[in-house]
Amino acid sequence: MMHSLCYPLDQSPLYMAGSKVRLCELLGITTKDLRLLLALENYREWTAKQKLADKLANLPAKSRNIEEPKPLLRLLHKRIALLLDKIEKPDFLYSARKGCSYFSNALQHQRSEGAVRVDIKSFYPSVRQRMVKEFFESQMRMPADVAHTLAKLCCHDGKLPTGSPLSPILSYFACSPFFSRVAAIADRLGLQFTLYVDDMVFSGKGANRALADQIKRELAGVALIGHKVSYFPAGGAKVITGAAVFPDRIEVPFKRQRRIRKFEEAFAKTTNVATRGAGTPWAAWGPGAGRPGPGPRARPVEVRLAALEARTPEIHGKANAKRRKKPVGKSIMREIARKAAVLREHRLEADVCS
């Protein structure tokens, strides 16, 4: 299942990048820019708030710390991710690659035998900078100083950042020797194995508790923790990456259906269907009460939906236009050069002021 434009690892431009000057050429910055970036605070950190829909449905709050690289570093991360994305990957990987999704990952286990799912706890924070450096040094054959510099550029506080576009693909490559060993175990047992970010799934006759314990021991050997272990009996539903997989069909999992019903009930109770989002219960509008005037948000929801459907081609056209403006390939390099120049100007102004 190799992508037609992919090439072997030793054909990557990053392979055997022998100096920091060469590394900077590949990234589209100068060595001075690189030193400046490594010296600055390049991340914006915050805690993701609970979604409004979850709050309305009285679902438990889940907080997640986000570490997002600032604009120039984010572009550099996109550039590195683009270079890594073109390297050939094994068939068992279904994340961070074109043509694959959580759904195609789940489809691989549509068989009558049982299955085992093992997640890796706090995966991105568990991928340490030394693991990233080891990948660049051992597999990409970079000198130790270049591998160290690139690993430092890719990591935040000694680990992969949770809000970077680079983390999904780099987390795989940093742990690829481990995942290859896991794939070999699955092959020996005649199991179907797939990996979606931190979600490992095994299906077949040998997918049992003993296998899960073995995988957890393998994880512990590389300082990773296996948790949320799930066992699915033969012939029943297997909940895999957000899909309920049966031998003859795939459905939305019951837990997600229940969540959707909670959303519907919460919105029905708390939101005015005519003004959608004003937060006024419909029951508050008594007979003869002054309802909103004939503005667009006061029209019945069916009329508004019909108007929205009529505008769908126009909306899609605008969305596609925006999508085309996203920097890819050479555009990323131009954008990197522009933002690097802005960074140098700001630094020069700061030096003059001081």
Side-chain angles (χ1 to χ4, degrees), residues 56-57 263-273 277-282:
L56 288 173
F263 289 159
E264 290 175 340
E265 291 168 4
F267 285 129
K269 290 176 183 176
T270 62
T271 306
N272 182 340
V273 294
T280 307
W282 181 255

Side-chain angles (χ1 to χ4, degrees), residues 65-85:
N65 294 326
I66 306 296
E67 301 152 336
E68 181 186 29
K70 291 179 181 178
L72 176 56
L73 185 60
R74 184 176 181 84
L75 282 169
L76 291 176
H77 280 193
K78 282 186 176 181
R79 169 65 178 165
I80 298 167
L82 190 66
L83 293 171
L84 294 178
D85 185 55

Side-chain angles (χ1 to χ4, degrees), residues 217-347:
R217 286 194 299 270
E218 293 283 343
L219 283 165
V222 290
L224 297 174
I225 300 173
H227 78 146
K228 293 183 181 176
V229 179
S230 302
Y231 305 95
F232 304 106
K238 310 178 188 80
V239 181
I240 298 169
T241 51
V245 182
F246 294 85
D248 58 344
R249 67 192 187 280
I250 291 185
E251 296 182 354
V252 176
F254 174 73
K255 187 176 179 181
R256 181 167 291 185
Q257 292 182 35
R258 187 174 58 188
R259 190 185 184 93
I260 292 170
R261 280 198 298 272
K262 281 189 176 182
F263 289 159
E264 290 175 340
E265 291 168 4
F267 285 129
K269 290 176 183 176
T270 62
T271 306
N272 182 340
V273 294
T275 57
R276 186 65 70 182
T280 307
W282 181 255
W285 301 101
R291 297 195 180 192
R297 291 182 67 81
R299 290 177 294 174
V301 68
E302 293 82 2
V303 175
R304 286 162 49 208
L305 281 173
L308 185 62
E309 288 174 4
R311 289 186 57 210
T312 296
E314 176 192 345
I315 292 170
H316 285 181
K318 289 180 180 178
N320 289 335
K322 287 181 181 178
R323 216 172 288 131
R324 284 193 293 272
K325 290 178 184 176
K326 289 184 179 179
V328 292
K330 293 180 180 178
S331 301
I332 285 183
M333 300 296 281
R334 288 194 294 269
E335 191 67 12
I336 286 172
R338 188 181 70 80
K339 289 194 181 296
V342 172
L343 181 67
R344 287 194 293 272
E345 284 179 18
H346 287 174
R347 184 67 176 184

